[in-house]
């Protein structure tokens, strides 16, 4: 198409609300149209997420099985050896992934030997030619600069939900803490990966408010994960209802329309979605998924690599090539 949808940063809540509440088929059509203006609709980025340090987190995120205060079946695992992480990254690349994300269940990064080891991991994965992503909790600008100098491509720090609903889900850090970390990542020249979770008990207005926060940032996150709550036994939200697939489609489509150049990631919750349901998410503008050799996404079940590759083949989709630049405003 000759004319592309304008990238805006001055969205109002009312405008996003109007988009979000469009009749579903019209919403999907609009989102699919916008998607094709800036992305190859036949490509899906395969991202691999590895937990490099599991459990024992002092935070009280109500959805998370890695919080030390909840009694779950998740085993605490110390920081993995660097060579083990590099081996996982190589295997991910060989399986078609172009992004490798390392997650540590920390409240915040501390300037110690563990952080030095993460820096070495970033360097090693970067040398493999993969987009390197980390999610390590809160981060100072100086720490972000160290990660950037090591070759970090992206930093994940989700908003989780709206600013208004945030205190209902987490009390051990504030919404502003999350915004500050995102700002520190930006200042260091690292791309931002930030989205949220639906199914936490939030309202539609909370979902719209979360998208508004992302869409009115001076620069949109290059990557916007949309997660469905993975209900973990032992957490306060274990008995929440399963997120309806059409709610995921509506969120993905809205995010695609208001942040046209961003990668919109179909993230947690895929294990409870059929191939057909995932196809609707791709039609609505999702162009990335997380996969894993262990069939887990951090500590919750997730489709495996071979299953995902078969799904892409069935749908006529192909993995995005490694190191493909994602330009975003």
């Amino acid at each position: 198409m000759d004319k592309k949808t304008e990238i805006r940063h001055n969205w109002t809540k009312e405008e996003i609300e109007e988009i979000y509440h469009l009749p579903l088929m019209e919403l999907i059509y609009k989102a699919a149209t916008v998607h094709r203006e800036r992305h190859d609709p036949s490509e899906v980025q395969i991202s691999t997420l590895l937990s490099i340090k599991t459990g024992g987190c002092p935070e009280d995120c109500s959805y998370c099985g890695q919080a030390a205060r909840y009694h779950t079946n998740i085993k605490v695992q110390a920081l993995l050896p660097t060579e083990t992480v590099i081996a996982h990254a190589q295997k991910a690349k060989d399986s078609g992934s172009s992004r490798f994300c390392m997650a540590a269940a920390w409240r915040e990064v501390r300037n110690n030997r563990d952080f030095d080891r993460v820096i070495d991991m970033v360097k090693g994965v970067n040398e493999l030619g993969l987009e390197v992503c980390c999610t390590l909790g809160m981060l100072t600008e100086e720490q972000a600069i160290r990660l950037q100098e090591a070759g970090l491509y992206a930093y994940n720090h989700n908003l989780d939900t709206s600013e208004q609903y945030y205190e209902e889900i987490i009390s051990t850090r504030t919404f502003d803490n999350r915004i500050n970390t995102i700002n520190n990542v930006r200042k260091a020249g690292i791309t931002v990966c930030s989205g949220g979770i639906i199914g936490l008990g939030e309202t539609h207005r909370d979902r719209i408010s979360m998208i508004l926060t992302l869409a009115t940032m001076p620069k949109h996150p290059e990557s916007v994960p949309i997660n469905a709550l993975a209900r973990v036994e032992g957490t306060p939200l274990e008995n929440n209802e399963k997120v309806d697939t059409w709610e995921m489609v509506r969120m993905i489509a809205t995010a695609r329309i208001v942040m046209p150049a961003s990668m919109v990631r179909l993230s947690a919750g895929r294990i409870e979605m059929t191939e057909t349901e995932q196809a609707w998410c791709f039609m609505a503008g999702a162009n990335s998924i997380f996969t894993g050799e262990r069939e887990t996404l951090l500590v919750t079940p997730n489709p495996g690599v071979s299953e995902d590759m078969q799904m892409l083949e069935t749908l006529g989709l192909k993995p995005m090539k490694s190191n493909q630049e994602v330009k975003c405003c």
Side-chain angles (χ1 to χ4, degrees):
M1 296 184 181
D2 294 330
K3 186 175 180 180
K4 294 181 179 179
T5 300
E6 177 189 3
I7 293 179
R8 294 176 48 194
H9 304 270
N10 62 344
W11 290 98
T12 66
K13 194 167 190 175
E14 291 71 26
E15 287 175 317
I16 296 178
E17 196 166 24
E18 184 178 350
I19 293 168
Y20 180 90
H21 288 297
L22 282 171
L24 189 61
M25 297 309 291
E26 182 180 351
L27 175 62
I28 293 170
Y29 175 77
K30 285 181 178 293
T33 302
V34 171
H35 182 61
R36 281 157 173 74
E37 291 173 2
R38 295 180 182 272
H39 306 273
D40 183 342
S42 70
E43 289 189 338
V44 174
Q45 184 178 45
I46 309 298
S47 303
T48 296
L49 178 60
L50 176 69
S51 179
I52 60 173
K53 185 271 177 185
T54 305
C57 182
E59 301 272 35
D60 69 351
C61 306
S62 300
Y63 54 82
C64 185
Q66 299 197 65
R69 67 191 66 201
Y70 305 138
H71 300 291
T72 67
N73 295 322
I74 294 166
K75 295 180 180 179
V76 175
Q77 168 198 281
L79 191 65
L80 291 173
T82 301
E83 57 271 21
T84 300
V85 173
I86 303 304
H88 279 291
Q90 182 63 62
K91 190 169 183 178
K93 180 179 180 181
D94 294 342
S95 298
S97 289
S98 59
R99 177 180 288 218
F100 188 78
C101 188
M102 298 174 282
W106 292 333
R107 167 180 163 76
E108 60 198 348
V109 173
R110 298 184 184 277
N111 294 314
N112 55 22
R113 285 181 295 178
D114 280 351
F115 186 41
D116 293 340
R117 288 170 58 192
V118 171
I119 293 294
D120 289 338
M121 293 174 192
V122 170
K123 291 177 179 177
V125 176
N126 185 54
E127 288 173 359
L128 296 178
L130 290 163
E131 291 181 5
V132 195
C133 178
C134 280
T135 179
L136 313 169
M138 291 185 286
L139 197 67
T140 67
E141 185 178 349
E142 292 72 25
Q143 291 164 341
I145 290 170
R146 280 194 68 191
L147 286 166
Q148 189 275 334
E149 290 174 345
L152 191 71
Y153 181 85
Y155 194 82
N156 168 259
H157 204 63
N158 289 330
L159 299 181
D160 286 347
T161 189
S162 71
E163 183 175 6
Q164 296 77 17
Y165 192 64
Y166 188 85
E167 290 182 358
E168 300 294 323
I169 302 300
I170 304 159
S171 70
T172 49
R173 75 169 95 168
T174 67
F175 192 83
D176 283 345
N177 288 150
R178 293 193 180 266
I179 297 296
N180 289 340
T181 291
I182 291 170
N183 289 340
N184 290 336
V185 168
R186 276 280 178 233
K187 290 174 187 174
I190 300 169
T191 66
V192 171
C193 177
S194 187
I197 308 168
I198 66 172
L200 303 175
E202 76 286 346
T203 65
H204 290 292
R205 289 187 69 83
D206 287 315
R207 296 175 186 177
I208 291 162
S209 179
M210 182 187 73
I211 291 179
L212 176 68
T213 299
L214 297 169
T216 54
M217 288 179 173
K219 190 173 185 180
H220 294 161
E222 286 81 359
S223 172
V224 181
I226 303 297
N227 298 274
L229 173 66
R231 297 159 294 169
V232 179
E233 186 177 354
T235 63
L237 301 184
E238 65 174 312
N239 294 319
N240 280 27
E241 292 184 4
K242 175 184 176 295
V243 173
D244 183 82
T245 298
W246 297 120
E247 297 295 303
M248 283 289 284
V249 169
R250 191 172 289 280
M251 279 292 287
I252 287 167
T254 304
R256 169 53 66 218
I257 291 169
V258 301
M259 293 175 278
S262 301
M263 299 290 291
V264 177
R265 302 185 184 276
L266 174 57
S267 301
R270 288 198 304 118
I271 194 68
E272 295 190 87
M273 298 173 71
T274 65
E275 194 173 271
T276 302
E277 289 171 330
Q278 292 180 69
W280 277 106
C281 292
F282 296 131
M283 179 63 72
N287 57 345
S288 178
I289 57 173
F290 285 102
T291 192
E293 61 184 80
R294 296 175 176 175
E295 299 189 356
T296 59
L297 190 61
L298 291 183
V299 293
T300 57
N302 193 66
V305 178
S306 59
E307 185 179 347
D308 282 335
M309 291 303 178
Q310 180 58 56
M311 174 183 68
L312 295 186
E313 184 177 345
T314 299
L315 299 178
L317 301 173
K318 58 189 177 185
M320 191 175 289
K321 293 180 181 179
S322 180
N323 277 345
Q324 179 163 330
E325 289 295 319
V326 179
K327 296 182 180 179
C328 182
C329 297

